[in-house]
Every structure is written in structure tokens, then in C-alpha cells.
Amino acid sequence: KALTDSPTGETEMYFDNIHLSPLKIHVSFSMHGSKSSQVLLAEYPLVAFLLQTLNVAEVQDVILRLGYYERIHDRYTITKLSNEVSSHYQNQFMKQLHVLVLGLDVLGNPFGVIRGLAEGVESFFYEPYRGAIEGPVEFAEGVATGVRTLVGSAVGGAAGAFSKITGVLGKGLATLTFDEDYKISRIRRKEPTTHRTTDITIGGRNVVMGFVNGVTGVVTKPVSGAKEGGASGFVKGLGKGFIGLVTKPTGGIVDFASTSLDLIKRTAQQEEVVRRVRYPRHVGRDGLVRPYISHEAMGFFILNKLKNGKYAKTDTYVAHITCLDSPPSWLLATSKRLLFITEISFLGLYEIDWRIEYEDLREEPVVKSYSNQIQILTKEPKKTGTLKSTRSFGKMVIYRNISEARVE
């Protein structure tokens, strides 16, 4: 209300009441990809590597509750008030530090488990009480709801804790492979699907791909290392290959356990997961957003899945046609090349049987509608795979069984 001059020369204000409401902060943090981890990596490489490998700084949705600030009938300058408010919330944060520590994923977020169990116990007593006020039928429903919530909190909380621990272990094993491509492909394989029933299938696919990547890495890593760094690169690649031979299959098994435990948690706690019901919209090279076309969206999705997004970085989707339904196969045209793609149904992956750059074409492909065929002529003979076999084609390649294909 009143303004006076303080000894420091600042204007001092009189307040009847200052009240700042309590704060509820949801904290999630990861060392992977953060700027702080990059700075730490530059200054302390060993410490940064251990932090990223052990994932000791991973937290997901930890709730910090900071108490309110209140002062009544007192005088403050702006500097004094701001310092006191800042000091108050710093002290509140330090009091909540144990919540942050107990919320670490490497520990399974025990604080979150306790919080969920407390909510389950509260529901166990509150739901029957609320139902008893309304009537005997509602009381029975309240008892059932309370029991279901309590059991779900106990079982789901325990499964969720172990899921976080195995998830951290899986990330650590992926870091130990020293293979950036594998880490990217692992993240893509763990992306949510459009159907809940495929969650276990995804886990099984991770196990299979872990063994596949581990075995193939023994051969591919030394070769790629030799191309980049000669003899020393070959030795480094050989080391990475043998390390991956152990860590990649183990990581796949750990990821399968994590996925299964997470499914148990969501089922026990009756969580509804929001899932994509259609492929991402395709936006052409002109950047204009047009009405959604499922056919184009599917082709754009397939292009982004090829080689962990390798072709999506350099090529732009143009069009595609369906060649076979079993196994699912497509002829896809990008801004730079033609790709013949087959889906490995069990793994949910898309493999490139062959590719032709436009500069290697002798002339534009010809669609023979009367015989349901496409003819492609190339400048020089090349060996490539077709639907059923491998053939040498320098003159033509013909794709059959495209009665339902769209040519755009």
C-alpha cells in the first residue's frame, strides 16, 4: 500500500498479503541427445560415456510438489522480494530431491510405484464408501472397482518398475554396441503400432533382429570400417562386430522382456494407449497440404521405413503400385530411382530386392495394360532379383500380377 525509501535507495512497498500457490512440476529427463550430455562428452568423455551407458540420469514423469509462498503485512523492495522467492523455491526443490532420486528409471522409479499403490489403497476404501451412499448395488460396484484398482496398482506398479529397469538395461546394451545405425533401428522397431495385439510380436521381432544384426555385423562392420579408415578402420570394425555379436542379441532379449512387462502394466492398470490409426500424411515437393490419400500415405510410410530412413533423407516419394499381395510387394518411384520392395511380414520390415537410378534407364517404363505388365529397359546389363528368381536383364524386366495396380 505505502511506498517508502529503503536504506539501499530502492523503493520499499508495503504488502497486506503475498501468496504464491503451490507448484506441481512433472519432470522428464534423458541424457541421450541432450545438449548437456554433449557438453559433458566434450569435457569429460569417460563420465559422459558411463552416464549414457548406465542411464543413471533417466527419469520419466516424476512429480515435484513445491510448497506455497506467503507473507502477510510486511515491507519489501523488488530485489529483496525476488531473492526471497527464489530462495524459497530453491529450498523447496532441495526438500524434493529425494523424489527425483527415487524416480530414476535405473531404480525402477520406486517413488512412482509407491504413489500408485497409495492411490490404489485410497480407491479401495473410497469407492465402496461412495457407492454405499447411493445404494447397495452401487456399494457392490464400488467394492469391485476398489479391488480392481488396488490389484492393478500393485501388479501394474511392480511390472512397470521392472519394465523400466530392463528398458534402461536395453539402452545401455545398445550404447555398448558403438553402432549408431543399430541404435536408430532399435528405436524405430520400438515405435508404437496401430494394433495392441502386435506388441508381443514387436518384442519377438526385436529378438530376431538382434540375432540377425549381431551376426551380419561381424561381416559388415569390418568391411565398412576398412572403406572409411583402411587397416585401422578394419580392426575397429572387427571389434565392433564381435561386441555386437554379444550385445545385440542380448539387447533384443532384454527389449522383449521390457515390452512384455510394459504390456502387463498397461493391462493391469487398464491404461488406454493412443495409437495411430492411419499412416502419416504425404506432403509433396511443393509443400502444399492436400486432402488425405491413403495410397500416397502408405507409399510415403514405406519409403521412410527403408534402411532406417536412409532413402527418405535423399529421395522424395512420387508414386507406387502394388505388384503382389503375398508376399506384399510394391514398385515404388522416388525423385531419384525405382525401387522394388518386399515386406517381411513377421519382422514388419521392408526389403529392397533391387533398385534402378533414373540415369540408368534407356527410356521411360512402358505400361502394357493389355497384358498387365510393365516393361523397363536399362542402358547396361545388370543382375537383379525378381519376385521368384534372379535374372540378368539388359533389355527388359517384366512385372506380372499387377491387376490392381495404380499408375499415376
Side-chain angles (χ1 to χ4, degrees):
K1 289 182 178 181
L3 300 179
T4 60
D5 291 332
S6 66
T8 60
E10 291 187 81
T11 301
E12 191 175 61
M13 295 173 285
Y14 177 82
F15 294 91
D16 284 334
N17 186 9
I18 303 176
H19 180 89
L20 301 179
S21 298
L23 298 178
K24 181 179 179 182
I25 304 174
H26 292 257
V27 179
S28 296
F29 178 77
S30 173
M31 285 292 296
H32 291 272
S34 63
K35 293 183 178 180
S36 60
S37 66
Q38 295 174 2
V39 174
L40 186 61
L41 183 62
E43 297 183 2
Y44 307 100
L46 180 60
V47 176
F49 174 74
L50 291 175
L51 286 176
Q52 291 185 349
T53 303
L54 300 176
N55 295 281
V56 295
E58 297 264 347
V59 293
Q60 294 183 18
D61 196 28
V62 172
I63 299 178
L64 302 180
R65 301 177 187 273
L66 308 184
Y68 68 90
Y69 172 86
E70 187 176 46
R71 295 292 183 270
I72 300 176
H73 305 308
D74 209 338
R75 298 175 182 271
Y76 290 98
T77 63
I78 296 299
T79 301
K80 181 181 177 182
L81 180 62
S82 61
N83 290 338
E84 189 168 311
V85 171
S86 176
S87 176
H88 167 79
Y89 283 114
Q90 286 179 7
N91 292 334
Q92 288 291 311
F93 178 79
M94 296 303 297
K95 291 180 181 179
Q96 293 284 299
L97 193 60
H98 68 284
V99 177
L100 194 62
V101 174
L102 293 177
L104 292 172
D105 283 356
V106 71
L107 302 178
N109 191 3
F111 191 84
V113 175
I114 296 173
R115 186 183 65 201
L117 188 60
E119 293 175 354
V121 172
E122 179 184 0
S123 178
F124 178 75
F125 290 100
Y126 175 72
E127 293 295 337
Y129 171 76
R130 188 178 66 172
I133 297 176
E134 300 179 3
V137 176
E138 288 76 8
F139 172 75
E141 292 176 351
V143 171
T145 301
V147 171
R148 183 172 64 249
T149 304
L150 179 59
V151 173
S153 299
V155 176
F162 285 109
S163 175
K164 289 182 180 296
I165 294 174
T166 52
V168 167
L169 181 59
K171 290 180 182 178
L173 289 170
T175 303
L176 288 175
T177 62
F178 302 99
D179 188 343
E180 294 299 325
D181 293 335
Y182 171 76
K183 287 191 284 187
I184 294 174
S185 65
R186 174 183 174 272
I187 294 173
R188 286 179 174 269
R189 290 200 301 270
K190 291 173 70 67
E191 289 177 352
T193 60
T194 55
H195 302 287
R196 183 172 181 173
T197 54
T198 61
D199 287 337
I200 296 299
T201 305
I202 292 175
R205 184 180 67 192
N206 290 339
V207 175
V208 174
M209 290 308 301
F211 280 96
V212 171
N213 291 331
V215 174
T216 57
V218 176
V219 178
T220 59
K221 289 302 175 184
V223 173
S224 61
K227 290 181 179 179
E228 295 176 1
S232 62
F234 176 83
V235 175
K236 291 180 181 179
L238 191 63
K240 290 182 180 179
F242 279 106
I243 291 175
L245 186 61
V246 177
T247 55
K248 291 177 182 179
T250 307
I253 296 173
V254 171
D255 285 339
F256 176 75
S258 178
T259 302
S260 302
L261 289 168
D262 187 58
L263 178 60
I264 294 174
K265 169 184 174 290
R266 297 201 308 267
T267 303
Q269 297 183 349
Q270 297 183 341
E271 293 183 0
E272 292 190 14
V273 181
V274 178
R275 299 175 184 271
R276 180 181 291 277
V277 296
R278 69 181 191 182
Y279 295 116
R281 181 189 301 272
H282 170 249
V283 179
R285 284 174 287 182
D286 55 11
L288 297 179
V289 179
R290 294 181 172 84
Y292 184 84
I293 301 176
S294 59
H295 178 81
E296 292 182 354
M298 179 181 179
F300 179 63
F301 174 80
I302 294 174
L303 178 62
N304 278 274
K305 284 291 185 179
L306 291 177
K307 300 295 183 181
N308 298 318
K310 171 185 174 182
Y311 288 98
K313 297 177 182 178
T314 58
D315 295 28
T316 303
Y317 168 79
V318 176
H320 77 283
I321 58 175
T322 302
C323 297
L324 280 178
D325 292 328
S326 182
S329 305
W330 304 270
L331 178 63
L332 189 145
T334 72
S335 56
K336 295 185 177 181
R337 69 201 89 212
L338 290 174
L339 300 164
F340 187 78
I341 304 162
T342 302
E343 180 184 9
I344 305 177
S345 299
F346 173 72
L347 299 178
L349 301 176
Y350 299 93
E351 291 293 331
I352 301 174
D353 283 3
W354 55 260
R355 66 181 185 272
I356 304 175
E357 277 67 27
Y358 292 140
E359 59 187 19
D360 294 329
L361 292 176
R362 182 185 302 177
E363 60 185 47
E364 292 184 1
V366 178
V367 180
K368 297 184 177 182
S369 57
Y370 62 88
S371 60
N372 238 13
Q373 299 172 347
I374 297 178
Q375 177 178 283
I376 302 175
L377 302 179
T378 61
K379 294 178 181 178
E380 298 178 359
K382 293 184 179 181
K383 288 184 178 283
T384 186
T386 64
L387 295 179
K388 299 297 183 181
S389 62
T390 302
R391 70 175 66 175
S392 175
F393 68 97
K395 296 181 179 180
M396 69 176 62
V397 176
I398 296 178
Y399 301 92
R400 303 180 183 276
N401 303 320
I402 57 168
S403 56
E404 298 180 2
R406 289 178 51 187
V407 181
E408 316 227 14

